[in-house]
Amino acid sequence: MSYKQSVEFQNLYNPIFCSVFVWRFIIEYSKESHKPVPILLLFIALPLVFTENSRKVLPKNKRTSMPVWIRENAHLKVSFTKRVSLLNKSVFDAISYLVAKGIIDVESGGITILDEKISTRQINQYLNLDKSLISLESEESAVDLGEIYKASSFVGRWFGRINSETLIYGLLGVRP
């Protein structure tokens, strides 16, 4: 990876940008499972939702069997471990940022939201989000932030329903 690519990657996957999707995942996972989020799940959730190839084929229903979905979309596993590795620091920094802002708490049992009633508008204010800061539009490509946001919500509910980080990691071919 060249220096230019590295800077672009860091700009795109900055902690503030990633924290919005981490927060959304945590909210939905917690609602579905009624448990704290196992921290390791965040490290595979974001690569699923940030990559258009995987985001576009996510099931429409949280009741969809993950083993069946993986079997039907086996091609996604090919480079998934690499995507997880590339985003590890971004996910860690996003979690750290949310902790520093007092939005989440990390304990031995997992991650919890400190204020369950926080709204999307409030999260944008807490994180000082500026549309130009999180804009992914350029001359070469445009990414629908709404799609990523919806995918983060869905994957949170889906993983919360599955409620087994070992199973999820195993199905995606990633070692914790």
Side-chain angles (χ1 to χ4, degrees), residues 19-21 23-25 27-28 31 103 115-129 131 134 145-146 149-150 153:
S19 66
V20 172
F21 307 107
W23 167 77
R24 193 72 231 158
F25 175 90
I27 292 268
E28 296 300 330
K31 282 184 197 174
I103 295 169
D115 183 357
E116 297 280 334
K117 295 177 182 162
I118 191 169
S119 70
T120 303
R121 182 174 296 155
Q122 288 171 311
I123 199 76
N124 290 343
Q125 289 171 346
Y126 288 157
L127 300 176
N128 299 316
L129 291 180
K131 291 206 185 289
I134 63 169
L145 296 178
Y149 190 82
K150 287 177 189 174
S153 296

Side-chain angles (χ1 to χ4, degrees), residues 79-97:
S79 62
F80 191 70
T81 302
K82 184 176 181 178
R83 286 186 279 150
V84 169
S85 295
L86 283 172
L87 284 170
N88 270 347
K89 183 176 180 342
S90 299
V91 173
F92 180 80
D93 290 347
I95 293 167
S96 299
Y97 187 77

Side-chain angles (χ1 to χ4, degrees), residues 2-161:
S2 73
Y3 175 73
K4 182 178 178 185
Q5 289 170 324
S6 176
V7 169
E8 287 172 354
F9 184 88
Q10 290 171 5
N11 288 339
L12 180 59
Y13 297 108
N14 69 71
I16 297 171
F17 175 77
C18 292
S19 66
V20 172
F21 307 107
V22 167
W23 167 77
R24 193 72 231 158
F25 175 90
I26 294 168
I27 292 268
E28 296 300 330
Y29 181 96
S30 299
K31 282 184 197 174
E32 188 67 34
S33 72
H34 305 288
K35 294 180 180 178
V37 177
I39 194 166
L40 291 178
L41 286 182
L42 293 170
F43 290 91
I44 58 173
L46 262 58
L48 266 180
V49 302
F50 280 163
T51 307
E52 185 177 17
N53 291 345
S54 55
R55 188 174 63 247
K56 294 283 187 193
V57 296
L58 283 171
K60 303 296 181 221
N61 187 315
K62 68 182 179 186
R63 289 183 179 88
T64 301
S65 164
M66 191 169 198
V68 171
W69 180 78
I70 291 289
R71 190 170 43 249
E72 291 171 354
N73 297 283
H75 63 282
L76 296 176
K77 289 173 63 174
V78 173
S79 62
F80 191 70
T81 302
K82 184 176 181 178
R83 286 186 279 150
V84 169
S85 295
L86 283 172
L87 284 170
N88 270 347
K89 183 176 180 342
S90 299
V91 173
F92 180 80
D93 290 347
I95 293 167
S96 299
Y97 187 77
L98 289 169
V99 168
K101 286 291 193 175
I103 295 169
I104 64 171
D105 189 30
V106 179
E107 300 171 347
S108 62
I111 298 176
T112 55
I113 297 285
L114 292 176
D115 183 357
E116 297 280 334
K117 295 177 182 162
I118 191 169
S119 70
T120 303
R121 182 174 296 155
Q122 288 171 311
I123 199 76
N124 290 343
Q125 289 171 346
Y126 288 157
L127 300 176
N128 299 316
L129 291 180
D130 174 339
K131 291 206 185 289
S132 65
L133 179 69
I134 63 169
S135 174
L136 295 179
E137 295 186 25
S138 70
E139 292 176 14
E140 294 131 25
S141 66
V143 174
D144 184 349
L145 296 178
E147 278 184 19
I148 299 172
Y149 190 82
K150 287 177 189 174
S152 297
S153 296
F154 173 79
V155 171
R157 287 189 305 275
W158 196 32
F159 283 11
R161 182 172 170 77

